[in-house]
Amino acid sequence: MRAYFGRRYMLSASHRLHSDVLSPEENRRAYGKCNNPFGHGHNYLLEVLVRGEVLPETGMVVDMVSLDKVIRSLVLNRFDHANLNTDALFVNQVPTTENLCRAVFNLLVNAVPSGRLETVRIEETENNFFECANPTEA
Ligand code: NI
C-alpha cells in the first residue's frame, strides 16, 4: 500500500515575469500583463505531498511538526512576503510558478523528516497550478 501525507501552506510573494533572452515584444507576448515593470503579487497555495510508511510507533507517515519546521525554515522564511526576482535562485531564471515549484522541490527533496517528497504543487490563482513530481520510482 502507498501512503501519503499532504500539507498546505500559504505563501505571499511578488514577481515580475521577464526573460532577458526575449525581446520586449516577445516578453509582452509570453507574459502579457505579468511583464509589467512594476511586478505584482500572488497568494500562492503551496501543497507538499510526502510518501512513506505509516510508522507503527506513531501511526503517521511523517511528523507534521518537523515537516512544518523544515518548510518554514527552507521555503516560507525565504519566499513569504518577498520579491521573488531578487532571490538568488531567480537571478538566471524567470520566477514563474513552474520555476518556483521546481525551486521549492529542490530545496525540500533531501530535507523531509521521513518518507520521501513525492510532489510539490503550487496554485498561483484559482485557475493556475503547477506540480513537480519525484522522478524516481521507489
Ligand atoms: Ni504573476
Side-chain angles (χ1 to χ4, degrees):
M1 187 211 296
R2 291 185 175 186
Y4 299 90
F5 177 77
R7 184 100 164 127
R8 294 195 180 105
Y9 304 87
M10 291 300 299
L11 169 60
S12 300
S14 67
H15 68 175
R16 181 199 181 201
L17 302 184
H18 180 89
S19 171
D20 292 334
V21 300
L22 300 179
S23 71
E25 194 195 320
E26 288 170 328
N27 267 292
R28 279 192 294 274
R29 200 181 313 131
Y31 303 123
K33 62 186 180 182
C34 296
N35 182 239
N36 100 68
F38 304 107
H40 59 277
H42 292 284
N43 294 317
Y44 295 99
L45 177 65
L46 165 67
E47 292 185 351
V48 173
L49 190 67
V50 177
R51 175 178 154 191
E53 301 294 317
V54 179
L55 302 171
E57 314 84 60
T58 62
M60 300 192 297
V61 168
V62 60
D63 174 37
M64 195 174 77
V65 174
S66 304
L67 182 67
D68 282 355
K69 267 187 204 153
V70 165
I71 306 250
R72 191 167 304 112
S73 70
L74 296 181
V75 176
L76 301 181
N77 287 353
R78 180 166 189 162
F79 297 127
D80 192 36
H81 288 77
N83 174 356
L84 298 178
N85 295 74
T86 63
D87 190 283
L89 283 170
F90 298 114
V91 168
N92 293 314
Q93 48 176 357
V94 185
T96 56
T97 309
E98 289 90 327
N99 281 334
L100 177 61
C101 197
R102 292 200 308 173
V104 170
F105 188 96
N106 288 333
L107 287 168
L108 293 178
V109 67
N110 293 318
V112 296
S114 64
R116 69 172 200 148
L117 183 62
E118 194 68 16
T119 62
V120 170
R121 181 176 189 267
I122 299 181
E123 288 185 16
E124 183 185 53
T125 68
E126 269 180 20
N127 301 317
N128 290 2
F129 64 89
F130 192 81
E131 187 168 302
C132 287
N134 198 322
T136 56
E137 273 305 316

